[in-house]
Amino acid sequence: MFSWILALLLAVVAWSAATVYLWWVRRRRDETRAGLAALASLHWREFSEIIRRALQDERSWQVVAQADEEGAPRSDFLMRGEQGATWMISCKHGRAYRIGAAAVNELGTALRLAGAQGGVLITEGIVEREGLAAAERQHVEILDGRRIWPVLKPYLAAETENRIVQAARRRAQRHTGIAALASLTLGLLVGLGYLSSHPPTRTAPAIAAAPVAPATLPSATTPDAPASSSSEAALAVVPVEPDPATLDRYQASVSRALAQTPGITRGIWLTRLTLAVDRQVDDATAWPLICREVERYPVLRTVRIQLNPRPGVDEPVRWRQCRTI
């Protein structure tokens, strides 16, 4: 349950962060880009007229005179504020402008010759860092592509403004839906990953089982199992599948018994399933002696017996089993 709560919280946080970015950053950037493109598509006279109207409404400035000669493009003009201060307005119409210090210094010279108190440089392009530094020295205000759209937006045609705003809004809504799906997928992956790395622990129910009667071997008085030492008699009852320590004890008991058996030199366990026997008697005599000790333990009845050649006798190594499965 905790993993899914964590996944849900992560999905909500991711979607909220994406929504804030899409509506407060991306939407405004898209709207500004489309708005600058719309401004750049205007004729330069329309652009200049929009600027005059914006400055009249926002700052109560009035047009005084055109700065250029008669008949020249009206891109530069003078405006006067409420307290009689004169300002030179310079319009650089077009998004391709990358204005540096030279153009700003030129405007500073022109406004001093015209007797203006300061100037405003307006463009859909970008004023570079050197131009911004020069504008502070020349008393020139900069309204470039990074700041001009909010100022001129209300002065475009209503249908143009609505088209730009609605296009940016629709794109933000579409991307918000995509972000919701992506956040949900992220939360699902995190939840599944948490479950895979932290599997739930379940306590197995206790099952009451009747005690299993241990398998018993023939007693020491039966013909198949002659009398042995008291320690071997204590091992007459063994579990069906002993643990490794118990199995080691059984094998060690067999090795000790074979070492004390007449005619048998020793019995060495090569592996869990292979017993190598060194002997001094022939196969017919040695085999019952070996099986007598091995068959005391049910788990060892089917092991492989390796009969090594007798000393001084040219005979091959033989493998046999006392019992088969």
Side-chain angles (χ1 to χ4, degrees):
M1 184 64 182
F2 173 76
S3 63
W4 294 115
I5 295 176
L6 179 64
L8 178 61
L9 289 177
L10 179 61
V12 171
V13 170
W15 180 75
S16 300
T19 301
V20 170
Y21 169 77
L22 290 173
W23 283 91
W24 289 89
V25 179
R26 184 69 177 272
R27 181 184 62 85
R28 293 181 177 182
R29 187 170 61 191
D30 292 343
E31 182 180 322
T32 300
R33 185 183 298 112
L36 292 177
L39 290 174
S41 65
L42 299 175
H43 192 270
W44 67 267
R45 293 183 183 274
E46 296 175 326
F47 181 70
S48 179
E49 181 63 26
I50 288 177
I51 291 175
R52 282 195 293 270
R53 288 171 52 198
L55 294 177
Q56 287 174 354
D57 293 344
E58 297 291 335
R59 306 186 184 186
S60 300
W61 292 0
Q62 301 297 326
V63 177
V64 175
Q66 181 179 341
D68 294 335
E69 295 180 357
E70 189 67 26
R74 301 173 59 185
S75 59
D76 295 345
F77 50 90
L78 295 176
M79 299 189 75
R80 180 173 290 117
E82 293 180 347
Q83 286 148 8
T86 303
W87 300 85
M88 175 171 284
I89 313 302
S90 178
C91 303
K92 304 294 183 182
H93 183 43
R95 298 188 63 186
Y97 277 105
R98 295 295 181 270
I99 300 174
V104 176
N105 291 332
E106 181 181 351
L107 176 59
T109 302
L111 67 88
R112 283 191 295 271
L113 292 176
Q117 180 179 355
V120 181
L121 192 153
I122 302 176
T123 180
E124 303 102 316
I126 297 297
V127 178
E128 297 176 344
R129 182 176 301 177
E130 296 81 2
L132 294 175
E136 294 182 0
R137 296 191 300 267
Q138 300 291 344
H139 303 287
V140 174
E141 180 183 354
I142 300 297
L143 291 177
D144 61 358
R146 290 165 291 201
R147 300 176 54 193
I148 192 176
W149 169 245
V151 176
L152 301 183
K153 172 182 175 181
Y155 299 95
L156 285 176
E159 59 273 12
T160 302
E161 179 184 354
N162 290 334
R163 175 175 53 82
I164 294 172
V165 172
Q166 293 303 322
R169 184 183 298 273
R170 284 193 299 271
R171 184 176 184 185
Q173 291 173 344
R174 182 171 65 253
H175 288 180
T176 301
I178 296 173
L181 293 177
S183 300
L184 183 61
T185 303
L186 176 63
L188 180 62
L189 293 177
V190 170
L192 293 177
Y194 183 89
L195 286 178
S196 62
S197 60
H198 298 79
T201 57
R202 295 186 178 90
T203 304
I207 301 177
V212 179
T216 59
L217 293 177
S219 64
T221 58
T222 60
D224 292 338
S228 180
S229 63
S230 60
S231 61
E232 294 174 358
L235 297 173
V237 179
V238 296
V240 177
E241 294 183 359
D243 55 82
T246 303
L247 184 59
D248 289 340
R249 192 167 65 251
Y250 294 165
Q251 292 179 336
S253 178
V254 171
S255 296
R256 287 195 304 270
L258 290 176
Q260 298 172 3
T261 301
I264 305 297
T265 304
R266 63 177 180 174
I268 300 176
W269 290 93
L270 302 179
T271 65
R272 289 288 191 189
L273 300 177
T274 304
L275 172 64
V277 178
D278 294 335
R279 58 204 169 86
Q280 296 174 345
V281 296
D282 57 12
D283 294 356
T285 303
W287 189 247
L289 301 175
I290 298 170
C291 288
R292 181 189 64 185
E293 302 300 335
V294 170
E295 290 181 356
R296 290 181 183 278
Y297 310 100
V299 72
L300 301 178
R301 290 182 175 185
T302 58
V303 299
R304 187 171 63 169
I305 310 297
Q306 175 182 316
L307 293 175
N308 294 328
R310 289 172 288 172
V313 179
D314 185 13
E315 58 184 352
V317 178
R318 293 183 176 86
W319 288 273
R320 297 180 65 178
Q321 284 180 287
C322 295
R323 297 286 183 91
T324 58
I325 299 176

